[in-house]
Amino acid sequence: MFGRRGRGERREPVLEAPGSFVDLRLSADDRPAYSPAPLARERAGASNKSRPGNPPRATARRRRDDDWADAEDAEYEDEPRETRRNRRDDRRGGRRGRRGKGGCSGFGRLVYWGVVLALWGAIGLAGLIAYEASQLPPIQNLAIPERPPTVVIQGTDGKAIATRGEMGGTNVPLRALPPYLPQAFVAIEDRRFYSHFGLDPVGLARAVFVNLTRGRLREGGSTLTQQLAKNLFLTQERTLSRKVQELILSLWLEAKYSKNEILELYMNRVYFGAGAYGVEAAAQRYFGKSARQVTLSEAAMLAGLVKSPSALAPTRNLEGAQNRAEVVLAAMLDAGFITPEMRQTALARPATLAKTQSADSYGYVADWVMDQLKTLVGPVTQDMVVQTSVDPALQAAADKALKDALAKSGKKLGVDQGAIVLMDPAGGVHALVGGRSYEESQYNRAVSARRQPGSAFKPFVYLTAMERGLTPETIRDDAPIQIKGWKPENFSKEYRGAVDLKTALALSLNTVAVRLALEVGPDEVVKTAHRLGIASKLEPNASIALGTSEVSVLEMASAYAPFANGGVGVTPHIIERVRDKDGRVIYAYAESGRGMVMAPPHVAMINRMLRETLITGTARRADLPGWPAAGKTGTSQDYRDAWFVGYTGRYVASVWLGNDDSSPTKKAGGSGLPVEIWSQVMKAAHKDQPVVALPGAGFDGTPPPGQLPPGEVPEDPVVTGGPQRAPAPRPGLDNWLLDKLFGRG
């Protein structure tokens, strides 16, 4: 049996003799002893707590807890003393933790919840990364987007005059660049580029610290790899989603490409402002040279632009770009890429914008080249180099002539626009100006616009008459004429009576031209114009003689070319050859002309008549000393259009002036400003060129004044000591022109 003898004592069990019966049932004595003392003390304390001399409330609470602990320990008096002591300590600690503030229990809870939050944060971050990764293409299908093709357009001197394409510059290998150029980007944009894995924790922490301490966004902390990932695959929006995708793509780039490959991709794709993408386009845009040739100060400026390309572009903020370049040079010195002496030299000679010689009108040339390119080689899917027939010096001269004339007299004459085409007699375009300013208007008035040529169309009427037996000496009546109520009049409102056709054309008599058109038939006049090179639709009516059907400036130049080359039809062209990125020729112009479109005797007649226009007719102000030239002025109804198309044996030039809305000018005629512009352009084109006779000149055996006999070249005292006779298979055509037209040599 078990029982109690007193508090704190324990009775050990006694086994009865073998075979005896042991009663294992509990009796009342076997239950723990119960003492009412603690409860009585608690009641007493409760009744006496307000009496003077009673212990403080905390002391009473401790006594009460101890009494309850004694009662509880009595239940477990069979356990060892050490076990009971541990249970009591645990119980007291738990109660202190529940009652107390701070202490070891508070720190434990802080650690606990910190771990919980960290785990949930990690789970959330992993989920976000997984979700954003699912929005990207499968990693096995991910690839660097092909760089948009660039078309470099060159002039006759082999230098680039324009570029076209989304990137605006060719791709340059890293090894082809001066070493300080890529070093400048590393120094200022990502100092630890060669040591991090796409994400720079140090740079990110610094950026966070700076942004927090300064209270606004000052640094981004993105690596070059992250910037490349953004440029290649993502938009420019600043969102958490894009930042996570940027990080994922950065890790992919670092795993797939070497550091130098990443840096090369970055430098050839990043934006530098002013429409320049890639370091080559930027170097050409700002310094007029290849990125392979930039100086240290220029390299520092380029590297500094990528932080804020629009605000720092030197075309609009040169001082800001130079100040930023100084920061880049300091970073390069700090990184050990350059010496103090190199930095001082660069600071002494800061980068400046190149003095560009490019004419604003090159934009018109480039646009027409791109239109032609699609027809000749199909869609542009790779980098190409297009060599054109455009002479940069002549393009600049034509651009300047038009701008100067409009600036001087445009407002006075109510003329706002103009266009010029200069070509050789084989159809190669050497200058093309489609308006007074490409920056203000990209509409190409030389190629796309259709305007009434006025009297400049009359040579096609007279040629049709010559082909039907008439001659420059044929007489026709200059008198009033009426056709179904229409009464064409001469400009002077006067009539000369009987005149020869040479005089009638030189003085641009309208009544004679209309009579000739009716005599040969308007349909035949249209056929002649189309045969010579006019492509626009022409209305076969009596007014065709006065140039009422609309044509382009380019068409007029190409239709006059047979007069200059002896009767061979030409196709106007500007592209000479096209090469791919490896230098292989994929297109070369080889057309040898459209064949004879007029007989040599008729060429001679027309040239004699049109020369008279410059001698005694409406184009007397034309000024081209020493060169036999011919041409025709034109003025449309109400002075809406003013033309002059003139030529020599070397060049044909077509000039138009007017307004885009076809509003009348203030009596601007073809004999005024267009002739002045033509003279200025042709003087530049013929400078230092050997004189070439007009085809058919002297067909009657008497060359006009100042014109050489067929086949004779001018005196060259340095080379020949005097004139020499050159082979002339066809009167007035020199070997150069024959080679151009028929592909000789």
Side-chain angles (χ1 to χ4, degrees):
M1 292 189 356
F2 298 90
R4 292 181 181 273
R5 291 183 176 178
R7 183 175 179 82
E9 296 182 1
R10 180 182 179 89
R11 177 181 298 176
E12 298 296 331
V14 178
L15 298 177
E16 300 293 336
S20 63
F21 174 77
V22 179
D23 188 1
L24 298 179
R25 290 175 297 177
L26 294 176
S27 66
D29 295 334
D30 294 323
R31 295 185 176 88
Y34 174 73
S35 173
L39 183 58
R41 284 197 299 270
E42 181 179 1
R43 291 173 178 170
S47 60
N48 297 329
K49 59 182 179 180
S50 59
R51 297 176 185 176
N54 285 341
R57 181 177 300 175
T59 302
R61 185 184 299 112
R62 279 198 301 273
R63 288 176 178 173
R64 184 168 63 250
D65 290 345
D66 289 342
D67 291 339
W68 281 107
D70 291 340
E72 186 177 351
D73 286 343
E75 297 183 29
Y76 298 97
E77 70 172 350
D78 293 338
E79 291 183 341
R81 185 183 304 274
E82 186 67 24
T83 302
R84 291 201 307 274
R85 184 182 302 112
N86 290 340
R87 178 178 287 108
R88 173 171 291 200
D89 291 342
D90 292 341
R91 184 172 57 248
R92 289 177 176 173
R95 276 195 284 267
R96 282 197 302 270
R98 287 189 296 271
R99 294 191 304 266
K101 298 180 180 179
C104 294
S105 178
F107 176 75
R109 285 191 298 163
L110 181 64
V111 172
Y112 169 78
W113 286 111
V115 172
V116 171
L117 291 176
L119 288 174
W120 278 110
I123 294 172
L125 180 61
L128 177 62
I129 293 175
Y131 172 76
E132 295 299 340
S134 68
Q135 304 304 304
L136 296 172
I139 201 69
Q140 64 271 17
N141 297 334
L142 205 59
I144 297 293
E146 288 291 331
R147 191 177 191 275
T150 297
V151 178
V152 177
I153 302 170
Q154 298 177 339
T156 53
D157 58 359
K159 295 182 179 179
I161 59 175
T163 58
R164 284 292 185 268
E166 292 183 27
M167 302 303 291
T170 57
N171 193 78
V172 184
L174 197 66
R175 63 180 180 276
L177 299 172
Y180 48 75
L181 182 53
Q183 288 170 351
F185 286 86
V186 173
I188 195 63
E189 288 294 315
D190 191 356
R191 187 77 60 87
R192 284 169 291 277
F193 172 70
Y194 284 99
S195 60
H196 63 62
F197 54 90
L199 175 67
D200 182 11
V202 176
L204 183 61
R206 184 192 68 247
V208 171
F209 175 77
V210 170
N211 294 335
L212 290 177
T213 55
R214 299 192 181 183
R216 58 193 179 100
L217 189 61
R218 300 278 297 184
E219 296 191 22
S222 294
T223 64
L224 285 177
T225 312
Q226 288 176 274
Q227 295 179 45
L228 176 62
K230 177 179 63 178
N231 291 335
L232 290 179
F233 303 105
L234 304 173
T235 65
Q236 298 297 318
E237 61 177 345
R238 295 186 175 185
T239 62
L240 177 61
S241 174
R242 187 198 59 76
K243 200 67 179 177
V244 173
Q245 291 181 349
E246 178 185 296
L247 176 59
I248 296 170
L249 293 169
S250 299
L251 298 176
W252 174 80
L253 285 170
E254 290 280 346
K256 189 173 180 64
Y257 297 95
S258 68
K259 288 290 187 178
N260 284 343
E261 288 174 329
I262 292 174
L263 185 56
E264 180 179 310
L265 280 168
Y266 174 83
M267 294 180 64
N268 281 289
R269 302 293 184 98
V270 71
Y271 183 56
F272 288 88
Y277 287 87
V279 69
E280 177 68 11
Q284 294 284 359
R285 176 69 178 86
Y286 298 131
F287 311 129
K289 63 176 72 173
S290 170
R292 297 173 171 87
Q293 302 168 331
V294 297
T295 64
L296 176 58
S297 60
E298 291 168 343
M301 180 175 286
L302 290 176
L305 295 179
V306 299
K307 177 184 180 182
S308 184
S310 297
L312 293 175
T315 49
R316 60 179 300 179
N317 186 8
L318 179 60
E319 183 179 357
Q322 290 175 336
N323 292 338
R324 177 65 175 168
E326 293 181 7
V327 176
V328 175
L329 290 170
M332 295 179 72
L333 177 64
D334 186 54
F337 292 141
I338 59 175
T339 65
E341 293 75 18
M342 295 172 66
R343 176 174 176 267
Q344 287 302 321
T345 301
L347 291 174
R349 297 179 179 178
T352 58
L353 286 174
K355 294 182 179 179
T356 178
Q357 301 297 324
S358 297
D360 172 63
S361 55
Y362 276 133
Y364 300 114
V365 173
D367 289 349
W368 190 39
V369 166
M370 294 304 295
D371 289 341
Q372 297 292 304
L373 198 61
K374 295 176 183 178
T375 303
L376 299 177
V377 302
V380 178
T381 58
Q382 60 177 323
D383 289 349
M384 294 181 182
V385 177
V386 180
Q387 184 176 343
T388 69
S389 55
V390 174
D391 186 323
L394 299 185
Q395 180 72 23
D399 185 67
K400 183 177 185 301
L402 180 62
K403 282 182 168 61
D404 289 349
L406 292 178
K408 177 183 177 181
S409 306
K411 186 175 182 180
K412 179 178 65 177
L413 295 175
V415 176
D416 187 59
Q417 283 294 346
I420 302 172
V421 171
L422 175 70
M423 67 167 59
D424 61 48
V429 175
H430 292 259
L432 184 144
V433 181
R436 70 185 301 164
S437 173
Y438 181 81
E439 184 176 352
E440 294 177 1
S441 171
Q442 291 77 51
Y443 181 58
N444 194 334
R445 298 158 187 84
V447 176
S448 302
R450 298 291 187 274
R451 306 301 294 254
Q452 292 184 353
S455 295
F457 193 84
K458 288 178 180 177
F460 309 129
V461 178
Y462 280 78
L463 174 60
T464 307
M466 299 299 109
E467 292 176 339
R468 280 151 184 78
L470 278 65
T471 69
E473 288 73 29
T474 299
I475 303 298
R476 288 293 181 268
D477 191 24
D478 175 25
I481 185 175
Q482 181 173 344
I483 305 167
K484 296 181 180 180
W486 176 50
K487 299 178 180 180
E489 297 178 331
N490 294 331
F491 175 78
S492 63
K493 309 292 185 181
E494 297 178 354
Y495 303 96
R496 293 174 174 265
V499 295
D500 59 44
L501 297 186
K502 180 175 67 174
T503 302
L505 182 57
L507 298 178
S508 198
L509 302 179
N510 290 337
T511 60
V512 176
V514 172
R515 280 187 167 89
L516 284 179
L518 293 175
E519 182 177 338
V520 300
D523 286 332
E524 296 303 317
V525 174
V526 169
K527 290 178 183 178
T528 299
H530 283 161
R531 186 173 78 241
L532 264 65
I534 299 295
S536 297
K537 181 180 179 181
L538 303 175
E539 295 296 333
N541 50 41
S543 66
I544 190 71
L546 305 185
T548 54
S549 290
E550 296 179 339
V551 296
S552 74
V553 179
L554 180 66
E555 285 177 324
M556 290 296 286
S558 62
Y560 270 60
F563 302 152
N565 66 32
V568 180
V570 303
T571 300
H573 64 277
I574 196 170
I575 298 177
E576 295 290 344
R577 62 184 54 84
V578 181
R579 293 185 174 90
D580 64 12
K581 60 183 179 181
D582 298 320
R584 293 188 297 267
V585 176
I586 58 179
Y587 168 81
Y589 180 78
E591 186 172 342
S592 57
R594 296 188 293 110
M596 298 297 294
V597 295
M598 55 191 299
H602 301 143
V603 174
M605 293 179 186
I606 291 296
N607 284 343
R608 285 173 54 202
M609 298 170 75
L610 292 180
R611 264 190 56 72
E612 194 66 28
T613 304
L614 273 67
I615 297 173
T616 63
T618 57
R620 291 189 301 273
R621 298 174 64 181
D623 183 19
L624 193 60
W627 278 85
K632 186 68 186 73
T633 59
T635 305
S636 67
Q637 188 176 13
D638 296 328
Y639 296 93
R640 298 177 189 275
D641 305 279
W643 293 76
F644 182 62
V645 186
Y647 57 94
T648 67
R650 183 67 71 179
Y651 290 106
V652 182
S654 177
V655 179
W656 166 84
L657 295 176
N659 297 310
D660 285 339
D661 59 1
S662 293
S663 59
T665 66
K666 298 176 182 178
K667 295 188 177 181
S671 60
L673 212 54
V675 171
E676 293 179 13
I677 294 172
W678 181 91
S679 299
Q680 186 175 340
V681 174
M682 292 293 267
K683 281 181 180 179
H686 290 80
K687 183 180 180 181
D688 300 327
Q689 294 282 348
V691 176
V692 176
L694 279 172
F699 189 79
D700 57 0
T702 306
Q707 183 170 318
L708 296 172
E712 188 161 300
V713 298
E715 181 177 354
D716 185 350
V718 176
V719 178
T720 65
Q724 292 185 350
R725 181 74 57 177
R730 187 176 295 110
L733 275 182
D734 63 356
N735 290 337
W736 167 83
L737 183 55
L738 290 172
D739 292 341
K740 292 283 286 184
L741 289 170
F742 299 105
R744 294 188 347 177

